[in-house]
């Protein structure tokens, strides 16, 4: 299994747009953001589409097309971003019901469910504490 980078790339895109707008630009293109994130512009467009549906960014078509923040970085939390790009629970149970005649098969899901709920609650609480303004501040303070 590999780690999911959707939250990180979405936060990257939002911080990039926020900084770009502070530098006096109205909109950023997916190509510009993709260059910074070192990924394909299609990946960026898909994520930005999800962020647009969540009300975090807006887009403009035609001449001068691009993406802009719909809210200030100070009012966007990592939880907002997470909920926009990570559908469903963090952890899942078996796809098929385990063998209910086996002691482990019978008890594993109830045992794990409580653990997973606690982890997800902690994750959400921590993500809600961090704004994209915090992220941008830390990015700009990182030594080069």
């Amino acid at each position: 299994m590999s780690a999911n980078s959707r939250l990180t790339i979405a936060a990257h895109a939002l911080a990039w747009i926020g900084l770009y707008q502070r530098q006096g630009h109205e909109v950023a293109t997916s190509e510009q953001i993709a260059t910074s994130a070192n990924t394909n512009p299609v990946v960026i467009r898909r994520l930005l589409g999800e962020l647009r549906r969540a009300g975090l960014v807006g887009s403009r078509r035609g001449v001068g097309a691009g993406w802009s923040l719909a809210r200030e970085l100070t009012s966007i939390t990592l939880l907002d971003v997470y909920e926009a790009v990570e559908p469903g629970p963090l952890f899942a149970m078996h796809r098929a019901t385990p063998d209910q005649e086996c002691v482990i098969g019978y008890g594993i899901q109830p045992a794990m469910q409580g653990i997973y709920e606690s982890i997800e609650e902690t994750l959400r609480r921590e993500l809600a504490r961090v704004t994209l303004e915090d992220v941008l501040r830390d990015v700009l303070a990182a030594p080069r």
Side-chain angles (χ1 to χ4, degrees):
M1 289 187 232
S2 64
N4 186 331
S5 62
R6 291 169 53 81
L7 175 61
T8 302
I9 295 172
H12 184 138
L14 290 167
W16 199 95
I17 294 168
L19 180 60
Y20 196 61
Q21 287 183 284
R22 285 183 189 173
Q23 293 170 340
H25 305 279
E26 286 187 40
V27 296
T29 68
S30 54
E31 289 79 10
Q32 291 170 313
I33 300 163
T35 297
S36 176
N38 196 24
T39 191
N40 191 300
V42 172
V43 171
I44 298 299
R45 280 192 287 276
R46 286 181 183 149
L47 280 173
L48 288 171
E50 293 173 30
L51 295 171
R52 180 180 51 213
R53 283 187 286 284
L56 303 179
V57 298
S59 62
R60 189 163 67 188
R61 292 179 179 227
V63 177
W67 300 88
S68 60
L69 295 177
R71 294 171 23 196
E72 294 295 322
L73 291 177
T74 55
S75 72
I76 301 172
T77 67
L78 284 178
L79 180 60
D80 296 327
V81 181
Y82 174 78
E83 289 176 339
V85 302
E86 297 291 351
L90 187 60
F91 300 104
M93 293 296 153
H94 307 77
R95 291 180 189 217
T97 303
D99 180 358
Q100 297 298 288
E101 299 300 316
C102 169
V103 66
I104 302 298
Y106 180 79
I108 191 71
Q109 289 184 337
M112 297 304 290
Q113 189 63 42
I115 295 165
Y116 290 163
E117 287 171 1
S118 177
I119 292 168
E120 189 147 351
E121 180 182 314
T122 300
L123 172 72
R124 290 178 169 281
R125 186 173 50 251
E126 291 301 311
L127 292 175
R129 292 180 48 228
V130 181
T131 68
L132 267 291
E133 183 67 33
D134 299 328
V135 171
L136 180 57
R137 182 196 65 236
D138 292 350
V139 165
L140 295 176
R144 292 191 87 180

